[in-house]
Amino acid sequence: MTPQTLEALQRARRDRQPAVVATWLDDGEQVLVTPSNGAAPLAMTEAIDQAIQDDRSQTVEVDGRRLFLHVFNTPLRLIVIGAVHIAEPLARYAAIAGYDVTLIDPRRAFADRERFAGVTIIDAWPDEALTDLRPDHRTAVVTLTHDPKIDDPALHVALRAPLLYLGSLGSKRTHAKRVERLLEAGFSEDEIARIHAPVGLDIGAKSPQEIALSIMAEITAVRREASP
């Protein structure tokens, strides 16, 4: 890899852009492709898009030549709104599954750093914090507080972002009221339908640990395009 390619790759990583280093195996020629640099010839584009989607480096054949695609995807992230009991096991499970975990809660007394070791904690209002974090297609967002004053501002930002997953804790009745508020705020039914609620796979979960497990299972199913 040339110093110029390495520098461009590091810049893409800093900007949270997926990148692929494409190397022709017959002559070693390389090109760095990101969504914004337009460096990929048309014949490569479909294979590169698929490699990014699969999150898997692979060798493909393009125009009769073998091409190795080295994928540098953006990190998976889980952003949790609300430092409630479920947030603790959810943060642990997500970290094990390879997610960078960020916890947002403006109530400083709740977001105890000893309870959430290894988790990035932001004690700001969710709409402001989420906007700064720029959630993307590799980001899952879960709201847990049941408090519209905290959850709804987060949903207002999350519903405008190209997320991997969006889920909100609460019963069907709670979600129905949430839907009413979001409709009044100007969101369409299609936009609101992106929210997984009640959050988590239906595994009969009762305890905070079990509910957290059901949430991670649903995030995984969505990511792997399995049938939840």
Side-chain angles (χ1 to χ4, degrees), residues 1-14 32:
M1 188 181 297
T2 66
Q4 293 80 9
T5 300
L6 180 59
E7 182 180 350
L9 176 59
Q10 291 173 333
R11 187 164 54 248
R13 303 282 285 172
R14 285 196 301 271
L32 176 73

Side-chain angles (χ1 to χ4, degrees), residues 112-192:
D112 184 345
R113 295 187 185 279
E114 291 187 4
R115 289 174 57 206
F116 297 98
V119 174
T120 300
I121 298 175
I122 301 175
D123 56 359
W125 284 100
D127 51 344
E128 298 171 357
L130 269 181
T131 299
D132 290 343
L133 290 170
R134 296 188 298 164
D136 57 19
H137 69 291
R138 303 264 294 171
T139 304
V141 174
V142 179
T143 68
L144 295 177
T145 72
H146 283 296
D147 184 345
K149 294 193 303 296
I150 298 176
D151 285 351
D152 284 11
L155 291 172
H156 287 195
V157 176
L159 284 170
R160 304 295 192 201
L163 298 178
L164 166 66
Y165 174 92
L166 176 59
S168 290
L169 184 68
S171 65
K172 290 181 180 178
R173 182 179 177 185
T174 297
H175 186 60
K177 293 180 179 177
R178 180 185 295 130
V179 169
E180 289 178 8
R181 294 193 302 272
L182 291 171
L183 287 171
E184 289 175 0
F187 291 93
S188 69
E189 292 184 355
D190 286 345
E191 288 173 324
I192 297 169

Side-chain angles (χ1 to χ4, degrees), residues 16 27 32 37 46 58 62 70 79 92 94 103 118 123 133 172 174 177 181 185 191 219 221:
R16 291 190 58 82
D27 62 8
L32 176 73
N37 71 2
E46 184 176 347
Q58 55 196 279
V62 177
H70 193 167
I79 300 175
R92 290 199 300 273
L103 175 67
D123 56 359
L133 290 170
K172 290 181 180 178
T174 297
K177 293 180 179 177
R181 294 193 302 272
E191 288 173 324
I219 293 172

Side-chain angles (χ1 to χ4, degrees), residues 8-224:
L9 176 59
Q10 291 173 333
R11 187 164 54 248
R13 303 282 285 172
R14 285 196 301 271
D15 293 343
R16 291 190 58 82
Q17 285 193 339
V20 172
V21 177
T23 305
W24 293 107
L25 296 183
D26 52 6
D27 62 8
E29 182 182 355
Q30 283 187 332
V31 60
L32 176 73
V33 181
T34 70
S36 62
N37 71 2
L42 185 59
M44 280 189 198
T45 302
E46 184 176 347
I48 287 174
D49 289 347
Q50 189 62 52
I52 292 173
Q53 178 70 28
D54 294 343
D55 194 22
R56 183 169 60 88
S57 298
Q58 55 196 279
T59 299
V60 298
E61 187 166 314
V62 177
D63 292 339
R65 300 171 67 191
R66 298 180 72 218
L67 181 68
F68 180 67
L69 303 177
H70 193 167
V71 177
F72 296 86
N73 233 326
T74 54
L76 290 165
R77 289 191 297 177
L78 171 65
I79 300 175
V80 180
I81 311 299
V84 299
H85 291 312
I86 296 170
E88 294 181 58
L90 180 58
R92 290 199 300 273
Y93 298 158
I96 292 170
Y99 289 73
D100 292 341
V101 182
T102 298
L103 175 67
I104 300 173
D105 198 319
R107 304 165 298 185
R108 292 186 179 181
F110 283 66
D112 184 345
R113 295 187 185 279
E114 291 187 4
R115 289 174 57 206
F116 297 98
V119 174
T120 300
I121 298 175
I122 301 175
D123 56 359
W125 284 100
D127 51 344
E128 298 171 357
L130 269 181
T131 299
D132 290 343
L133 290 170
R134 296 188 298 164
D136 57 19
H137 69 291
R138 303 264 294 171
T139 304
V141 174
V142 179
T143 68
L144 295 177
T145 72
H146 283 296
D147 184 345
K149 294 193 303 296
I150 298 176
D151 285 351
D152 284 11
L155 291 172
H156 287 195
V157 176
L159 284 170
R160 304 295 192 201
L163 298 178
L164 166 66
Y165 174 92
L166 176 59
S168 290
L169 184 68
S171 65
K172 290 181 180 178
R173 182 179 177 185
T174 297
H175 186 60
K177 293 180 179 177
R178 180 185 295 130
V179 169
E180 289 178 8
R181 294 193 302 272
L182 291 171
L183 287 171
E184 289 175 0
F187 291 93
S188 69
E189 292 184 355
D190 286 345
E191 288 173 324
I192 297 169
R194 294 177 54 209
I195 303 172
H196 291 262
V199 69
L201 293 185
D202 184 4
I203 58 173
K206 299 294 183 185
S207 69
Q209 293 79 9
E210 291 169 346
I211 295 170
L213 183 63
S214 75
I215 295 171
M216 273 315 301
E218 188 170 55
I219 293 172
T220 303
V222 170
R223 183 186 170 216
R224 298 302 186 188

